[in-house]
Amino acid sequence: QVQLQESGPGLVKPSGTLSLTCAVSGGSISSSNWWSWVRQPPGKGLEWIGEIYHSGSTNYNPSLKSRVTISVDKSKNQFSLKLSSVTAADTAVYYCARWAEIAAAGRSAFDYWGQGTLVTVSS
Amino acid sequence: DIQMTQSPSSLSASVGDRVTITCQASQDISNYLNWYQQKPGKAPKLLIYDASNLETGVPSRFSGSGSGTDFTFTISSLQPEDIATYYCQQYDNLPRTFGQGTKVEIK
């Protein structure tokens, strides 16, 4: 059973950089999946931030692309998110999730999620 | 970006009722649509993939249908444990986008 666990500071100052890590257990980050970040502002809906493949290939949401960097550390079986120049609008619960594509089953979805971590942007 | 519009934003129904949520895409996404359930304080959970396929272990009272731009999610007999917010999500194009959610409550 794959498990994901987010970690990082819960409070970031405005104009600073938000940094989170997602540790993957029960499976290899080098498997044929994309590893994603999704966020949810308090009381609002879900927003996809971006994703990374174990090769280092990345896809980002254009709305955040100029501020986002996602990286992978295969030796530690984890991946990370950095979001720069944060404002109060970046206050949200941040989830890491696995995007799995199983062509034979026609199945492509976020099938495993971390529990989420609240990051507040405030001075 | 492909915009996903869900309706209604919220609904209240009685236990045993049939509940239907719709999701409309701003362009044709074929059947590249998933449905998730999110309970308060929890991560989303995959219920339906590829518009109409039930994820393993998900009760059969949940179902999905549709293709192109119009999709439907149904709970055939609402149970107390189904209280949650439900989201559709398209994967035809990047960025992956979600509907705004439908909050389901018990009357």
Side-chain angles (χ1 to χ4, degrees), chain B residues 53-87:
Chain B
N53 293 285
L54 196 65
E55 175 72 349
T56 302
V58 174
S60 60
R61 64 180 180 274
F62 297 102
S63 65
S65 64
S67 67
T69 61
D70 295 304
F71 301 86
T72 300
F73 173 82
T74 300
I75 307 173
S76 61
S77 176
L78 186 67
Q79 300 302 304
E81 60 266 32
D82 300 336
I83 300 313
T85 300
Y86 294 84
Y87 292 93

Side-chain angles (χ1 to χ4, degrees), chain A residues 51-115:
Chain A
E51 63 190 10
I52 190 164
Y53 200 68
H54 61 79
S55 63
S57 294
T58 53
N59 295 307
Y60 297 134
N61 192 322
S63 68
L64 298 167
K65 187 174 183 177
S66 63
R67 300 193 291 131
V68 171
T69 302
I70 298 176
S71 59
V72 64
D73 187 336
K74 289 185 283 186
S75 67
K76 294 182 178 179
N77 217 42
Q78 65 186 34
F79 62 108
S80 300
L81 167 71
K82 289 189 185 297
L83 181 65
S84 63
S85 304
V86 298
T87 69
D90 295 309
T91 293
V93 174
Y94 285 76
Y95 294 100
C96 56
R98 187 179 84 166
W99 178 261
E101 297 181 341
I102 305 175
R107 178 182 178 274
S108 297
F110 294 112
D111 61 353
Y112 290 99
W113 296 70
Q115 64 188 31

